[in-house]
């Protein structure tokens, strides 16, 4: 049977309920006002009283003298050896205020309530806002006061200027700089989505600034500098007069008059500089998990496409994602033979990804994936001796 709960143990039990229910209370002030938390006190049995009557008496006296929040329910117990005794059986804390007080978190809860009201005041109130406030509570409630003031200021400005067409660095918000906005962007976006479920300009997370680089998709309704992709024109005849290696936005790359027979997408940028002249070939830096964006380039879709990534679990996850957008893409040197031959150059992969969801790998790629996952290995593509890489590349592509 459970031990009797002393008044001193209430704080820990109330704290557990406070942590578990806080998000729901933030979502619903009505629930927060009267949500009951009942703590069973497990009064001692007659056998326990017989074993230590002084402890039982002290326990009952402690509950009689308790002055904390909540209501204690008392019931009679009829014991053969001790007659009828009245003992405390449960403590009921009603509402978030009482639970927070019992948990020693009354000051924190008052701050949460004040901040919730401040965030709700930024908008007229939407049905999705309470849930957004609950989901993000741990982030906005833990902010320093000056950062919370900045949060409300940025939210208010973005709500009032949903289609400014400005870049983040151009936002004219006192006391807020670019670093602050980018560092808190995820929180801002989630709260703005909650504030925009009324069908306003941010309801789809895109805004309507009409920026050509698609930079409003993050949900702030402002523009960001587009991602630039490095490109190596390995056959200079494909783009006469252009630098051999340069970087440009996806829109600019899409507009290039390129018609290569072959496109090689590289996980890492260094490979662009290491590649020699290769007939009818263009190489592009994939940018890790953003590589699927390259599938939108017309000259990538129309060419024979290859992907060469690191031999680790993330490299195969990136390949799988790319293949969802570019089904015909083939992998280069991402096989068990390459890994086995050069495993001495591999290092430990600290944060591998799991197998779930990687449904587009070939049998050979799956075999290599299992090797790197089971061995916890990472073989970066640049580590493989370059003469061997070039020999295999020319064999794959039947180059002279």
């Amino acid at each position: 049977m459970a031990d009797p709960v002393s008044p001193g143990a209430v704080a820990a039990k109330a704290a557990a309920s406070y942590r578990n229910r806080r998000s729901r209370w933030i979502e619903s002030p009505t629930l927060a006002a009267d949500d009951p938390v009942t703590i069973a006190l497990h009064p001692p049995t007659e056998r326990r009283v017989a074993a230590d009557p002084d402890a039982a008496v002290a326990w009952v006296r402690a509950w009689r003298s308790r002055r904390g929040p909540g209501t204690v329910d008392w019931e009679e117990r009829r014991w053969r050896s001790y007659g009828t005794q009245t003992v405390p059986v449960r403590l009921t804390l009603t509402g978030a205020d009482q639970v927070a007080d019992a948990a020693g978190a009354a000051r924190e809860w008052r701050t949460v309530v004040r901040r919730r009201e401040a965030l709700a005041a930024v908008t007229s109130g939407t049905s999705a806002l309470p849930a957004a406030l609950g989901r993000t509570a741990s982030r906005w409630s833990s902010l320093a006061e000056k950062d919370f003031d900045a949060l409300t200021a940025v939210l208010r400005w973005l709500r009032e200027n949903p289609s400014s067409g400005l870049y983040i660095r151009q936002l004219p918000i006192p006391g807020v700089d670019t670093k602050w906005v980018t560092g808190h962007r995820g929180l801002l976006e989630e709260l703005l989505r909650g504030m925009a479920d009324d069908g306003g300009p941010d309801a789809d997370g895109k805004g309507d600034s009409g920026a050509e680089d698609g930079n409003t998709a993050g949900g702030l309704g402002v523009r960001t500098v587009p991602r630039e992709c490095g490109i190596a024109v390995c056959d200079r005849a494909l783009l006469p007069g252009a630098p051999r290696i340069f970087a440009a936005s996806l829109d600019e790359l899409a507009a290039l008059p390129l018609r290569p027979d072959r496109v090689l997408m590289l996980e890492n940028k260094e490979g662009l500089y290491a590649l020699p002249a290769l007939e009818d070939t263009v190489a592009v830096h994939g940018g890790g998990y953003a590589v699927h964006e390259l599938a939108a380039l017309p000259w990538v879709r129309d060419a024979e496409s290859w992907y060469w990534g690191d031999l680790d679990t993330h490299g195969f996850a990136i390949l799988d994602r790319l293949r969802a957008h570019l089904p015909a893409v083939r992998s280069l040197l991402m096989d068990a033979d390459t890994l086995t031959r050069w495993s001495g150059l591999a290092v430990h992969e600290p944060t591998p990804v799991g197998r779930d969801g990687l449904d587009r790998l070939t049998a050979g790629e799956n075999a290599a994936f299992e090797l790197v996952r089971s061995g916890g290995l990472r073989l970066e593509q640049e580590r493989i001796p370059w003469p061997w890489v070039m020999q295999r590349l020319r064999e794959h592509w039947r180059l002279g």
Side-chain angles (χ1 to χ4, degrees), residues 117-161:
E117 292 173 352
L119 290 170
V122 174
T123 180
S124 58
T126 62
S127 60
L129 180 59
L133 291 173
R135 287 193 305 271
T136 58
S138 62
R139 286 181 277 172
W140 54 258
S141 65
S142 61
L143 291 174
E145 202 63 39
K146 63 180 181 63
D147 289 319
F148 182 77
D149 291 343
L151 176 67
T152 55
V154 174
L155 288 170
R156 184 173 291 107
W157 193 94
L158 292 174
R159 285 286 293 169
E160 294 172 353
N161 303 272

Side-chain angles (χ1 to χ4, degrees), residues 260-267 275 280-286 291 294 299-301 303-309 319 322-323 326-335 365 381 392-399:
D261 289 343
R262 184 183 306 106
V263 173
L264 173 61
M265 288 160 277
L266 298 162
E267 183 172 342
L275 287 171
D280 290 322
T281 301
V282 170
V284 191
H285 176 222
V291 68
L294 299 179
W299 48 267
V300 172
R301 292 197 306 267
E304 179 184 287
S305 56
W306 294 77
Y307 178 73
W308 182 22
L319 171 61
L322 174 60
R323 198 166 276 151
L326 201 63
V329 67
R330 286 179 279 181
S331 62
L332 179 68
L333 302 181
M334 298 181 71
D335 53 71
E365 292 159 357
Q381 55 189 189
R392 293 298 301 273
L393 186 149
R394 294 182 185 279
E395 291 172 358
H396 274 296
W397 293 347
R398 298 181 176 88
L399 299 175

Side-chain angles (χ1 to χ4, degrees), residues 71-400:
T71 302
V72 179
D73 293 329
W74 297 74
E75 292 181 359
E76 290 186 347
R77 293 288 189 268
R78 291 180 175 83
W79 293 329
R80 183 168 49 188
S81 301
Y82 300 99
T84 300
Q85 303 292 333
T86 303
V87 295
V89 294
R90 73 185 62 85
L91 170 68
T92 301
L93 302 168
T94 303
D97 288 347
Q98 285 195 357
V99 177
D101 189 7
R107 182 176 179 181
E108 175 190 305
W109 177 244
R110 287 194 296 271
T111 298
V112 168
V113 171
R114 173 176 59 80
R115 290 186 172 186
R116 183 197 185 282
E117 292 173 352
L119 290 170
V122 174
T123 180
S124 58
T126 62
S127 60
L129 180 59
L133 291 173
R135 287 193 305 271
T136 58
S138 62
R139 286 181 277 172
W140 54 258
S141 65
S142 61
L143 291 174
E145 202 63 39
K146 63 180 181 63
D147 289 319
F148 182 77
D149 291 343
L151 176 67
T152 55
V154 174
L155 288 170
R156 184 173 291 107
W157 193 94
L158 292 174
R159 285 286 293 169
E160 294 172 353
N161 303 272
S163 306
S164 68
L166 298 177
Y167 289 99
I168 289 178
R169 280 188 176 273
Q170 295 178 294
L171 295 179
I173 307 173
V176 177
D177 59 12
T178 304
K179 186 176 182 180
W180 193 97
V181 176
T182 55
H184 297 83
R185 182 162 188 158
L187 175 59
L188 288 166
E189 289 177 347
E190 190 155 1
L191 289 174
L192 282 171
R193 283 194 294 271
M195 293 175 178
D197 78 328
D198 54 358
D202 291 319
D204 61 358
K206 295 181 180 180
D208 58 359
S209 66
E212 64 180 9
D213 53 16
N215 46 27
T216 59
L220 296 187
V222 297
R223 294 197 292 170
T224 55
V225 176
R227 180 172 82 92
E228 289 193 336
C229 299
I231 177 173
V233 184
C234 299
D235 186 341
R236 304 299 296 276
L238 292 171
L239 201 62
R244 180 180 183 275
I245 297 176
F246 59 94
S249 68
L250 289 171
D251 286 341
E252 292 173 323
L253 290 179
L256 291 176
L258 277 171
R259 294 294 182 269
D261 289 343
R262 184 183 306 106
V263 173
L264 173 61
M265 288 160 277
L266 298 162
E267 183 172 342
N268 303 310
K269 189 180 297 183
E270 289 80 358
L272 297 179
Y273 294 87
L275 287 171
L278 297 168
E279 182 181 351
D280 290 322
T281 301
V282 170
V284 191
H285 176 222
Y289 280 97
V291 68
H292 65 281
E293 296 175 354
L294 299 179
L297 302 178
W299 48 267
V300 172
R301 292 197 306 267
D302 295 340
E304 179 184 287
S305 56
W306 294 77
Y307 178 73
W308 182 22
D310 292 337
L311 275 164
D312 61 6
T313 60
H314 287 277
F316 286 103
I318 293 168
L319 171 61
D320 183 86
R321 176 178 294 188
L322 174 60
R323 198 166 276 151
H325 299 265
L326 201 63
V329 67
R330 286 179 279 181
S331 62
L332 179 68
L333 302 181
M334 298 181 71
D335 53 71
D337 289 341
T338 300
L339 177 64
T340 301
R341 180 183 289 267
W342 304 110
S343 60
L345 300 175
V347 296
H348 174 67
E349 182 181 26
T351 55
V353 297
R355 180 69 180 81
D356 292 346
L358 304 186
D359 303 323
R360 304 175 188 89
L361 301 180
T362 66
E365 292 159 357
N366 272 315
F369 176 88
E370 292 301 331
L371 282 176
V372 295
R373 186 180 69 164
S374 61
L377 300 176
R378 167 185 289 164
L379 177 56
E380 295 173 324
Q381 55 189 189
E382 296 86 1
R383 300 272 291 167
I384 303 172
W386 201 248
W388 189 86
V389 169
M390 294 309 302
Q391 177 185 343
R392 293 298 301 273
L393 186 149
R394 294 182 185 279
E395 291 172 358
H396 274 296
W397 293 347
R398 298 181 176 88
L399 299 175

Side-chain angles (χ1 to χ4, degrees), residues 5-19 25 35-39 41 63 66-72 91-110:
V5 176
S6 68
V10 167
K13 293 181 177 295
S17 295
Y18 175 77
R19 289 192 300 269
W25 290 337
D35 190 18
V37 170
T38 301
I39 300 174
L41 304 183
W63 275 106
R66 179 182 179 272
R67 295 294 179 265
T71 302
V72 179
L91 170 68
T92 301
L93 302 168
T94 303
D97 288 347
Q98 285 195 357
V99 177
D101 189 7
R107 182 176 179 181
E108 175 190 305
W109 177 244
R110 287 194 296 271

